[in-house]
Amino acid sequence: MRPAHEYRHIFFDVDKTLTKSRSPMAPEHQEVFARLCAERDVVVVTGGSRDQMREQVTPRFDGMYTALPQSGNLAIGKDGSEFWYDPLTNAQVEEIMRAITELRHYFNITVKDENDIIDNRGAQVSYSVLGFHEDIEKKYAFDPSDTKRQAALRALPQVVSRLDAVGIIAVPAGTTVFNFIPKGKDKGHNVERLIERMGWSKEDCIYVGDALYPGGNDESVMDVIDTKAVAVPEETFDFIQQILS
């Protein structure tokens, strides 16, 4: 890992990295982020949708960063142009919905809002065990190290096998979510894809995320570029200050 100030192209996860889960960027962090966007190339990578990304990073920063929502299976430049979009097939979505049914049975949790647990984003389907808008403290307490969700996948090998047969993997993400994405098109793949498109040197790039551990949804980036593991947004913005110093 190079000295922080030498990195020119900075990639960020969103939940628990730039912001709290499903929450807007804290006002005290926005001025630091604005300075970074003005001085470096900033890329935001999330399993969430483009709209959710805008809500959390906040519309203030529209046009100031490159967006890789849906684990990067949609890519949008600073000017709003679409670099690529890789939607799921109907057969893949059908198998994902079948998998979600079995995961719901496995967890056997009554949710507050049945309409708040599944989000088909086009290039990715996400399932929140508790609900996307459940109380934030409950979400943070549910599965802080992803162990419950990883155990669920191990307990349901038939689900994993059927997903694999249609080219889909399930990855724990955020606080309560499973992201269902095309096999081989994870964050690492799409980060590398963007770097090649932009003609950047990998040595000048770094990815900041909270799930840089085995089974985490940021793990795939570790083989692509340098990474910086954080646990909370405050650690991210401390690192940004080092980049800017």
Side-chain angles (χ1 to χ4, degrees):
M1 184 171 169
R2 303 171 65 178
H5 68 273
E6 294 185 3
Y7 292 104
R8 310 306 305 171
H9 320 296
I10 324 299
F11 293 73
F12 295 98
D13 178 41
V14 179
D15 274 358
K16 298 191 287 183
T17 300
L18 285 176
T19 79
K20 291 184 178 180
S21 177
R22 286 258 167 171
S23 302
M25 186 183 295
E28 64 268 24
H29 292 156
Q30 291 189 22
E31 297 309 317
V32 179
F33 193 69
R35 184 180 164 198
L36 183 70
C37 289
E39 296 186 15
R40 310 292 168 102
D41 292 310
V42 173
V43 183
V44 179
V45 191
T46 178
S49 66
R50 175 62 177 135
D51 287 345
Q52 185 62 38
M53 178 190 287
R54 288 186 70 237
E55 182 179 326
Q56 290 185 235
V57 178
T58 77
R60 170 184 177 178
F61 296 105
D62 285 358
M64 297 176 68
Y65 63 91
T66 301
L68 295 181
Q70 302 189 53
S71 301
N73 290 303
L74 170 62
I76 303 169
K78 290 183 183 181
D79 63 357
S81 60
E82 185 177 292
F83 293 166
W84 64 76
Y85 175 51
D86 301 327
L88 302 172
T89 67
N90 290 337
Q92 288 173 325
V93 173
E94 287 177 9
E95 195 57 63
I96 290 167
M97 294 305 176
R98 184 181 177 189
I100 291 172
T101 297
E102 295 197 39
L103 284 164
R104 292 197 66 188
H105 184 265
Y106 171 87
F107 284 106
N108 192 29
I109 292 174
T110 301
V111 297
K112 289 195 304 187
D113 185 354
E114 291 285 333
N115 297 314
D116 188 43
I117 60 172
I118 300 173
D119 188 5
N120 183 352
R121 297 166 180 166
Q124 172 182 297
V125 176
S126 295
Y127 157 55
S128 172
V129 179
L130 300 186
F132 294 108
H133 296 90
E134 178 57 274
D135 176 77
I136 192 169
E137 298 304 324
K138 290 183 180 179
K139 291 172 67 176
Y140 270 90
F142 170 68
D143 188 20
S145 59
D146 294 359
T147 53
K148 292 180 181 178
R149 284 167 288 168
Q150 291 180 13
L153 294 174
R154 290 194 298 271
L156 298 170
Q158 74 281 7
V159 170
V160 175
S161 178
R162 290 198 309 265
L163 289 170
D164 181 73
V166 294
I168 295 294
I169 59 172
V171 183
T175 52
T176 66
V177 169
F178 290 92
N179 285 336
F180 297 87
I181 61 175
K183 185 167 54 177
K185 293 185 177 180
D186 50 27
K187 286 185 176 182
H189 167 81
N190 289 311
V191 164
E192 186 165 31
R193 192 176 177 186
L194 181 71
I195 290 169
E196 291 174 354
R197 179 188 175 93
M198 304 301 284
W200 295 339
S201 169
K202 289 184 179 181
E203 289 71 25
D204 293 332
C205 301
I206 190 166
Y207 180 94
V208 184
D210 69 289
L212 290 159
Y213 47 76
N217 74 313
D218 298 322
E219 179 190 15
S220 60
V221 186
M222 297 176 71
D223 291 330
V224 179
I225 56 175
D226 286 348
T227 57
K228 170 67 175 178
V230 297
V232 292
E234 287 73 18
E235 293 181 6
T236 298
F237 285 88
D238 286 346
F239 183 65
I240 291 174
Q241 293 283 17
Q242 295 175 40
I243 294 172
L244 294 171
S245 63

Coordinates of all heavy atoms in Angstrom, one line a residue, residues 44-112:
V44 N -17.9 5.7 -6.8 CA -18.7 5.1 -5.7 C -19.2 3.8 -6.2 O -19.8 3.7 -7.3 CB -19.8 6.0 -5.3 CG1 -20.7 5.4 -4.2 CG2 -19.2 7.4 -4.8
V45 N -19.0 2.7 -5.4 CA -19.4 1.3 -5.8 C -20.3 0.8 -4.8 O -19.9 0.7 -3.6 CB -18.1 0.4 -6.0 CG1 -18.5 -0.9 -6.6 CG2 -17.0 1.1 -6.7
T46 N -21.5 0.3 -5.1 CA -22.4 -0.2 -4.1 C -23.3 -1.2 -4.7 O -23.6 -1.2 -6.0 CB -23.3 1.0 -3.6 OG1 -24.2 0.5 -2.6 CG2 -24.1 1.7 -4.7
G47 N -23.9 -2.1 -3.9 CA -24.9 -3.0 -4.3 C -26.2 -2.3 -4.6 O -27.1 -2.9 -5.2
G48 N -26.4 -1.1 -4.0 CA -27.6 -0.4 -4.1 C -27.9 0.1 -5.5 O -27.1 0.1 -6.4
S49 N -29.1 0.6 -5.7 CA -29.5 1.2 -7.0 C -28.9 2.6 -7.1 O -28.4 3.2 -6.1 CB -31.0 1.3 -7.0 OG -31.5 2.3 -6.0
R50 N -29.0 3.1 -8.3 CA -28.5 4.5 -8.5 C -29.2 5.5 -7.7 O -28.6 6.4 -7.1 CB -28.6 4.9 -10.0 CG -28.2 6.3 -10.4 CD -26.8 6.6 -10.0 NE -26.4 7.9 -10.4 CZ -25.7 8.8 -9.7 NH1 -25.3 8.4 -8.4 NH2 -25.3 9.9 -10.1
D51 N -30.6 5.4 -7.6 CA -31.4 6.3 -6.8 C -30.9 6.2 -5.3 O -30.8 7.2 -4.6 CB -32.8 6.0 -6.9 CG -33.4 6.4 -8.3 OD1 -32.7 7.2 -9.0 OD2 -34.5 6.0 -8.6
Q52 N -30.7 5.0 -4.8 CA -30.3 4.9 -3.4 C -28.9 5.5 -3.2 O -28.7 6.1 -2.2 CB -30.3 3.4 -3.0 CG -30.0 3.1 -1.5 CD -31.1 3.8 -0.6 OE1 -32.2 3.8 -0.9 NE2 -30.6 4.3 0.5
M53 N -28.0 5.3 -4.1 CA -26.7 5.9 -4.0 C -26.8 7.4 -4.0 O -26.2 8.0 -3.1 CB -25.9 5.5 -5.3 CG -24.5 6.1 -5.3 SD -23.6 5.9 -6.9 CE -23.2 4.1 -6.7
R54 N -27.6 8.0 -4.8 CA -27.8 9.5 -4.8 C -28.4 9.9 -3.5 O -28.0 11.0 -3.0 CB -28.7 9.9 -5.9 CG -28.1 9.8 -7.3 CD -29.0 10.4 -8.4 NE -29.1 11.9 -8.2 CZ -30.2 12.5 -8.0 NH1 -31.4 11.9 -8.0 NH2 -30.1 13.9 -7.9
E55 N -29.3 9.2 -2.9 CA -29.9 9.5 -1.7 C -28.9 9.5 -0.5 O -28.9 10.4 0.3 CB -31.1 8.6 -1.3 CG -31.8 8.9 -0.1 CD -33.0 8.0 0.2 OE1 -33.6 7.5 -0.8 OE2 -33.2 7.7 1.4
Q56 N -28.0 8.6 -0.6 CA -27.0 8.4 0.5 C -25.8 9.4 0.3 O -25.4 10.0 1.3 CB -26.6 7.0 0.7 CG -27.7 6.1 1.2 CD -27.2 4.7 1.5 OE1 -27.8 3.7 1.0 NE2 -26.2 4.5 2.3
V57 N -25.2 9.4 -0.8 CA -24.1 10.3 -1.1 C -24.6 11.7 -1.1 O -23.9 12.6 -0.8 CB -23.4 9.9 -2.4 CG1 -22.3 10.9 -2.7 CG2 -22.9 8.5 -2.3
T58 N -25.9 11.9 -1.4 CA -26.7 13.1 -1.5 C -26.6 13.7 -2.9 O -25.5 13.7 -3.5 CB -26.4 14.2 -0.5 OG1 -25.2 14.9 -0.8 CG2 -26.3 13.6 0.9
P59 N -27.7 14.3 -3.4 CA -27.6 14.9 -4.8 C -26.7 16.1 -4.9 O -26.3 16.5 -6.0 CB -29.1 15.4 -4.9 CG -29.9 14.5 -4.1 CD -29.0 14.2 -2.9
R60 N -26.2 16.6 -3.8 CA -25.2 17.7 -3.8 C -24.0 17.3 -4.7 O -23.4 18.1 -5.3 CB -24.7 18.0 -2.4 CG -23.5 18.9 -2.4 CD -23.0 19.1 -1.0 NE -21.7 19.9 -1.0 CZ -21.1 20.3 0.1 NH1 -21.5 20.0 1.3 NH2 -20.0 21.1 -0.1
F61 N -23.7 16.0 -4.7 CA -22.5 15.5 -5.4 C -22.7 15.0 -6.8 O -21.8 14.4 -7.4 CB -21.7 14.5 -4.5 CG -21.2 15.1 -3.3 CD1 -21.9 14.8 -2.1 CD2 -20.2 16.0 -3.2 CE1 -21.5 15.4 -0.9 CE2 -19.7 16.6 -2.0 CZ -20.4 16.3 -0.9
D62 N -23.9 15.2 -7.3 CA -24.2 14.7 -8.7 C -23.2 15.4 -9.7 O -22.9 16.6 -9.6 CB -25.6 15.2 -9.1 CG -26.7 14.3 -8.5 OD1 -26.4 13.4 -7.7 OD2 -27.9 14.6 -8.7
G63 N -22.7 14.5 -10.5 CA -21.7 15.0 -11.5 C -20.3 15.2 -11.0 O -19.4 15.6 -11.8
M64 N -20.1 14.7 -9.8 CA -18.7 14.9 -9.2 C -18.0 13.6 -9.0 O -16.8 13.6 -8.6 CB -18.8 15.6 -7.9 CG -19.4 17.1 -8.0 SD -19.6 17.9 -6.4 CE -17.9 18.1 -5.9
Y65 N -18.7 12.5 -9.3 CA -18.0 11.1 -9.1 C -18.6 10.2 -10.2 O -19.7 10.4 -10.7 CB -18.3 10.6 -7.7 CG -19.7 10.3 -7.4 CD1 -20.3 9.1 -7.6 CD2 -20.5 11.4 -6.8 CE1 -21.7 8.9 -7.3 CE2 -21.8 11.1 -6.5 CZ -22.4 9.9 -6.7 OH -23.7 9.7 -6.4
T66 N -17.9 9.1 -10.4 CA -18.4 8.0 -11.3 C -19.1 7.1 -10.4 O -18.7 6.7 -9.3 CB -17.2 7.3 -12.0 OG1 -16.5 8.3 -12.8 CG2 -17.7 6.2 -12.9
A67 N -20.3 6.6 -10.9 CA -21.2 5.7 -10.2 C -21.2 4.3 -10.7 O -21.4 4.1 -11.9 CB -22.6 6.3 -10.2
L68 N -20.9 3.4 -9.8 CA -21.0 1.9 -10.1 C -22.1 1.3 -9.2 O -21.7 0.6 -8.2 CB -19.7 1.3 -9.9 CG -18.5 1.6 -10.9 CD1 -17.3 0.8 -10.6 CD2 -19.0 1.5 -12.3
P69 N -23.4 1.6 -9.4 CA -24.4 0.9 -8.6 C -24.6 -0.6 -9.0 O -24.0 -1.0 -10.0 CB -25.6 1.7 -8.9 CG -25.4 2.3 -10.2 CD -23.9 2.5 -10.4
Q70 N -25.4 -1.3 -8.3 CA -25.7 -2.7 -8.5 C -24.4 -3.5 -8.7 O -24.2 -4.3 -9.6 CB -26.6 -2.8 -9.8 CG -27.9 -2.0 -9.7 CD -28.8 -2.3 -10.8 OE1 -29.1 -3.5 -11.1 NE2 -29.3 -1.3 -11.5
S71 N -23.5 -3.3 -7.7 CA -22.2 -4.0 -7.7 C -21.4 -3.7 -8.9 O -20.5 -4.4 -9.3 CB -22.4 -5.5 -7.5 OG -23.1 -5.8 -6.3
G72 N -21.7 -2.6 -9.6 CA -20.9 -2.2 -10.8 C -21.5 -2.7 -12.1 O -20.9 -2.5 -13.1
N73 N -22.6 -3.4 -12.0 CA -23.2 -3.9 -13.3 C -24.0 -2.9 -14.0 O -24.6 -3.1 -15.1 CB -24.0 -5.2 -13.0 CG -23.1 -6.3 -12.6 OD1 -22.2 -6.7 -13.4 ND2 -23.3 -6.9 -11.4
L74 N -24.0 -1.7 -13.5 CA -24.4 -0.5 -14.1 C -23.3 0.5 -13.9 O -22.8 0.6 -12.7 CB -25.8 0.1 -13.6 CG -26.2 1.4 -14.0 CD1 -26.4 1.5 -15.5 CD2 -27.5 1.9 -13.3
A75 N -22.8 1.2 -14.9 CA -21.8 2.2 -14.7 C -22.2 3.5 -15.4 O -22.6 3.5 -16.5 CB -20.5 1.7 -15.4
I76 N -22.1 4.6 -14.6 CA -22.5 5.9 -15.1 C -21.4 6.9 -14.8 O -20.9 7.1 -13.7 CB -23.8 6.4 -14.3 CG1 -24.9 5.3 -14.5 CG2 -24.2 7.7 -14.8 CD1 -26.1 5.5 -13.6
G77 N -21.0 7.6 -15.9 CA -20.0 8.6 -15.8 C -20.4 9.9 -15.1 O -21.6 10.1 -14.8
K78 N -19.5 10.8 -14.8 CA -19.8 12.0 -14.2 C -20.8 12.9 -14.9 O -21.6 13.6 -14.3 CB -18.5 12.9 -14.0 CG -17.5 12.3 -13.0 CD -16.3 13.3 -12.9 CE -15.3 12.8 -11.9 NZ -14.1 13.7 -11.8
D79 N -20.8 12.8 -16.3 CA -21.7 13.5 -17.1 C -23.0 12.9 -17.3 O -23.9 13.3 -18.0 CB -21.1 13.8 -18.5 CG -20.8 12.5 -19.3 OD1 -21.1 11.4 -18.7 OD2 -20.4 12.6 -20.4
G80 N -23.3 11.7 -16.6 CA -24.5 11.0 -16.7 C -24.6 10.0 -17.8 O -25.6 9.3 -17.9
S81 N -23.5 9.9 -18.6 CA -23.6 8.9 -19.6 C -23.4 7.5 -19.1 O -22.7 7.3 -18.1 CB -22.4 9.2 -20.6 OG -21.2 9.1 -20.0
E82 N -24.1 6.5 -19.7 CA -24.0 5.1 -19.3 C -22.9 4.4 -20.0 O -22.8 4.4 -21.2 CB -25.3 4.4 -19.6 CG -25.5 3.0 -19.1 CD -26.8 2.4 -19.4 OE1 -27.8 2.9 -18.9 OE2 -26.9 1.5 -20.3
F83 N -22.0 3.9 -19.2 CA -20.8 3.2 -19.7 C -21.2 1.7 -20.1 O -20.8 1.2 -21.1 CB -19.7 3.1 -18.7 CG -19.0 4.4 -18.5 CD1 -18.2 4.6 -17.4 CD2 -19.2 5.5 -19.3 CE1 -17.5 5.8 -17.1 CE2 -18.6 6.8 -19.0 CZ -17.8 6.9 -18.0
W84 N -22.0 1.1 -19.2 CA -22.5 -0.3 -19.5 C -23.6 -0.6 -18.5 O -23.8 0.1 -17.5 CB -21.4 -1.3 -19.4 CG -20.8 -1.5 -18.0 CD1 -21.4 -2.1 -16.9 CD2 -19.5 -1.1 -17.5 NE1 -20.6 -2.1 -15.8 CE2 -19.4 -1.5 -16.2 CE3 -18.5 -0.4 -18.1 CZ2 -18.3 -1.2 -15.4 CZ3 -17.4 -0.1 -17.4 CH2 -17.3 -0.5 -16.0
Y85 N -24.4 -1.6 -18.9 CA -25.5 -2.1 -18.1 C -25.8 -3.5 -18.5 O -26.0 -3.8 -19.6 CB -26.8 -1.2 -18.4 CG -28.1 -1.7 -17.7 CD1 -28.1 -2.0 -16.3 CD2 -29.2 -1.9 -18.4 CE1 -29.2 -2.4 -15.7 CE2 -30.4 -2.4 -17.7 CZ -30.4 -2.6 -16.4 OH -31.5 -3.1 -15.7
D86 N -25.7 -4.4 -17.5 CA -25.8 -5.8 -17.7 C -27.0 -6.4 -16.9 O -26.8 -7.0 -15.8 CB -24.5 -6.5 -17.2 CG -23.3 -6.0 -18.0 OD1 -23.4 -5.7 -19.2 OD2 -22.2 -6.0 -17.4
P87 N -28.2 -6.3 -17.5 CA -29.4 -6.8 -16.7 C -29.4 -8.3 -16.6 O -28.9 -9.0 -17.4 CB -30.5 -6.2 -17.6 CG -30.0 -6.1 -19.0 CD -28.5 -5.7 -18.8
L88 N -30.1 -8.7 -15.6 CA -30.4 -10.2 -15.4 C -31.4 -10.6 -16.4 O -32.2 -9.9 -16.9 CB -30.9 -10.4 -14.0 CG -30.0 -10.0 -12.8 CD1 -30.8 -10.1 -11.5 CD2 -28.7 -10.8 -12.8
T89 N -31.4 -12.0 -16.7 CA -32.4 -12.6 -17.5 C -33.6 -12.9 -16.7 O -33.6 -13.0 -15.4 CB -31.9 -13.8 -18.2 OG1 -31.6 -14.8 -17.2 CG2 -30.6 -13.5 -18.9
N90 N -34.8 -13.2 -17.4 CA -36.0 -13.6 -16.6 C -35.7 -14.9 -15.9 O -36.2 -15.1 -14.8 CB -37.1 -13.8 -17.6 CG -37.6 -12.5 -18.2 OD1 -37.4 -11.4 -17.6 ND2 -38.2 -12.5 -19.4
A91 N -35.0 -15.8 -16.5 CA -34.7 -17.1 -15.8 C -33.9 -16.9 -14.6 O -34.1 -17.6 -13.6 CB -34.0 -18.1 -16.8
Q92 N -33.0 -16.0 -14.6 CA -32.2 -15.7 -13.4 C -33.0 -15.1 -12.3 O -32.9 -15.5 -11.1 CB -31.0 -14.8 -13.8 CG -29.9 -15.5 -14.6 CD -28.9 -14.5 -15.1 OE1 -29.2 -13.3 -15.4 NE2 -27.6 -14.9 -15.2
V93 N -33.9 -14.2 -12.7 CA -34.7 -13.6 -11.7 C -35.7 -14.6 -11.0 O -35.9 -14.6 -9.8 CB -35.5 -12.4 -12.3 CG1 -36.6 -11.9 -11.3 CG2 -34.6 -11.3 -12.7
E94 N -36.2 -15.5 -11.8 CA -37.1 -16.5 -11.3 C -36.4 -17.4 -10.3 O -36.9 -17.7 -9.2 CB -37.6 -17.4 -12.5 CG -38.7 -16.7 -13.3 CD -39.1 -17.6 -14.5 OE1 -38.7 -18.8 -14.5 OE2 -39.8 -17.1 -15.4
E95 N -35.2 -17.8 -10.6 CA -34.4 -18.6 -9.7 C -34.0 -17.9 -8.4 O -34.0 -18.4 -7.3 CB -33.2 -19.2 -10.3 CG -32.5 -20.3 -9.6 CD -33.5 -21.5 -9.3 OE1 -34.0 -22.1 -10.3 OE2 -33.8 -21.8 -8.2
I96 N -33.7 -16.6 -8.5 CA -33.4 -15.7 -7.4 C -34.6 -15.7 -6.5 O -34.5 -15.8 -5.2 CB -33.0 -14.3 -7.8 CG1 -31.6 -14.4 -8.5 CG2 -32.9 -13.4 -6.6 CD1 -31.2 -13.1 -9.2
M97 N -35.8 -15.5 -7.0 CA -37.0 -15.4 -6.2 C -37.3 -16.7 -5.5 O -37.7 -16.7 -4.3 CB -38.2 -15.0 -7.1 CG -38.1 -13.6 -7.7 SD -37.9 -12.3 -6.4 CE -37.7 -10.9 -7.5
R98 N -37.0 -17.8 -6.1 CA -37.1 -19.1 -5.5 C -36.1 -19.2 -4.3 O -36.5 -19.7 -3.2 CB -36.9 -20.2 -6.5 CG -37.1 -21.6 -6.0 CD -36.8 -22.6 -7.1 NE -36.9 -24.0 -6.7 CZ -36.5 -25.0 -7.4 NH1 -36.0 -24.8 -8.6 NH2 -36.6 -26.2 -6.9
A99 N -34.9 -18.7 -4.5 CA -33.9 -18.7 -3.5 C -34.3 -17.9 -2.3 O -34.2 -18.3 -1.1 CB -32.6 -18.3 -4.0
I100 N -34.9 -16.7 -2.6 CA -35.3 -15.8 -1.5 C -36.4 -16.5 -0.6 O -36.4 -16.4 0.6 CB -35.8 -14.5 -2.1 CG1 -34.6 -13.7 -2.6 CG2 -36.5 -13.7 -1.0 CD1 -35.0 -12.5 -3.4
T101 N -37.3 -17.2 -1.3 CA -38.4 -17.9 -0.6 C -37.8 -18.9 0.4 O -38.2 -19.0 1.6 CB -39.3 -18.6 -1.5 OG1 -40.0 -17.7 -2.4 CG2 -40.4 -19.5 -0.8
E102 N -36.7 -19.6 0.0 CA -36.1 -20.6 0.9 C -35.3 -19.9 2.0 O -35.2 -20.4 3.1 CB -35.2 -21.6 0.1 CG -36.1 -22.4 -0.9 CD -35.3 -23.6 -1.4 OE1 -34.6 -24.2 -0.6 OE2 -35.5 -24.0 -2.6
L103 N -34.7 -18.8 1.7 CA -33.9 -18.0 2.7 C -34.9 -17.5 3.7 O -34.6 -17.5 4.9 CB -33.1 -16.9 2.1 CG -31.8 -17.4 1.4 CD1 -31.3 -16.2 0.5 CD2 -30.8 -17.7 2.4
R104 N -36.1 -17.0 3.3 CA -37.1 -16.5 4.2 C -37.5 -17.6 5.2 O -37.7 -17.4 6.4 CB -38.3 -15.9 3.5 CG -37.9 -14.6 2.7 CD -39.2 -13.9 2.4 NE -39.9 -13.4 3.6 CZ -41.1 -12.8 3.6 NH1 -41.8 -12.8 2.5 NH2 -41.6 -12.4 4.7
H105 N -37.7 -18.8 4.7 CA -38.1 -19.9 5.5 C -37.0 -20.3 6.5 O -37.3 -20.6 7.6 CB -38.5 -21.1 4.6 CG -39.0 -22.3 5.3 ND1 -38.1 -23.3 5.8 CD2 -40.2 -22.6 5.8 CE1 -38.9 -24.2 6.4 NE2 -40.1 -23.8 6.4
Y106 N -35.8 -20.2 6.0 CA -34.6 -20.5 6.9 C -34.6 -19.6 8.1 O -34.4 -20.0 9.2 CB -33.3 -20.5 6.1 CG -32.1 -20.5 6.9 CD1 -31.5 -21.8 7.2 CD2 -31.5 -19.4 7.4 CE1 -30.4 -21.9 8.0 CE2 -30.3 -19.5 8.1 CZ -29.8 -20.7 8.5 OH -28.6 -20.8 9.2
F107 N -34.7 -18.3 7.8 CA -34.6 -17.3 8.9 C -35.8 -17.2 9.7 O -35.8 -16.9 10.9 CB -34.2 -15.9 8.3 CG -32.8 -15.7 7.9 CD1 -32.5 -15.7 6.5 CD2 -31.8 -15.6 8.8 CE1 -31.1 -15.6 6.1 CE2 -30.5 -15.5 8.5 CZ -30.1 -15.5 7.1
N108 N -37.0 -17.4 9.1 CA -38.3 -17.4 9.8 C -38.5 -16.2 10.7 O -38.7 -16.3 11.9 CB -38.4 -18.7 10.7 CG -39.8 -18.9 11.2 OD1 -40.8 -18.5 10.6 ND2 -39.9 -19.6 12.4
I109 N -38.3 -15.0 10.1 CA -38.4 -13.7 10.8 C -39.6 -13.0 10.2 O -39.8 -12.9 9.0 CB -37.1 -12.9 10.6 CG1 -36.0 -13.5 11.3 CG2 -37.4 -11.4 11.0 CD1 -34.7 -12.8 11.1
T110 N -40.5 -12.5 11.1 CA -41.6 -11.7 10.7 C -41.1 -10.3 10.5 O -40.5 -9.7 11.4 CB -42.7 -11.7 11.8 OG1 -43.1 -13.1 12.0 CG2 -43.9 -10.9 11.4
V111 N -41.4 -9.7 9.3 CA -40.9 -8.4 9.0 C -42.1 -7.4 9.2 O -43.3 -7.8 9.1 CB -40.3 -8.3 7.6 CG1 -39.1 -9.2 7.5 CG2 -41.4 -8.7 6.5
K112 N -41.7 -6.1 9.3 CA -42.7 -5.1 9.5 C -43.5 -4.8 8.2 O -44.7 -4.5 8.2 CB -42.1 -3.8 10.0 CG -41.6 -3.8 11.4 CD -41.3 -2.4 11.9 CE -40.3 -1.7 11.1 NZ -39.9 -0.4 11.7

